[in-house]
Amino acid sequence: MYGHCYAATEALYYLLGGKESGWQPCRGKDAEGVTHWWLRNADGQILDPTVEQYTTVGKKPPYASGRNGPFLTQQPSKRANEIIARVKRINEQNRIRPGNT
């Protein structure tokens, strides 16, 4: 998961509906000075598609020092678009169709 938080968070944001979803991109620097990205809503709930890069090594993500802020581009990046396409392909492949139980 390390090194993929930006693209994964950006993809999740757009898959959830973008600005209209109520989720905002957030970023903060961890103890090593590495920038980490995640989503937060108005209620303070957090969606972090790459949280395992911290939890699997006994560390906490930098949520407390995080700030809301825009992504680096106005549209999904190339990497985010690839993740979105893969998620949509998997969802289509796994979709249960009538008569296929």
Side-chain angles (χ1 to χ4, degrees):
M1 295 286 166
Y2 185 82
H4 300 286
C5 63
Y6 179 84
T9 300
E10 186 184 20
L12 180 58
Y13 175 79
Y14 286 107
L15 285 165
L16 291 172
K19 188 175 184 176
E20 292 76 31
S21 70
W23 293 96
Q24 295 183 335
C26 296
R27 65 183 177 273
K29 290 194 185 273
D30 64 21
E32 285 78 37
V34 176
T35 300
H36 181 63
W37 289 79
W38 65 92
L39 298 177
R40 182 171 34 210
N41 69 13
D43 295 330
Q45 293 176 309
I46 292 173
L47 285 179
D48 186 346
T50 63
V51 68
E52 291 87 5
Q53 67 183 301
Y54 290 97
T55 59
T56 59
V57 294
K59 296 182 179 181
K60 291 184 179 182
Y63 301 144
S65 65
R67 296 184 181 268
N68 294 354
F71 289 115
L72 303 175
T73 59
Q74 294 290 324
Q75 300 297 321
S77 66
K78 184 177 179 180
R79 288 177 29 185
N81 273 325
E82 180 59 31
I83 294 167
I84 292 167
R86 288 181 185 188
V87 168
K88 287 182 177 181
R89 267 195 310 272
I90 290 168
N91 283 344
E92 185 62 31
Q93 291 169 355
N94 292 330
R95 181 172 291 153
I96 298 175
R97 296 191 176 101
N100 292 345
T101 55

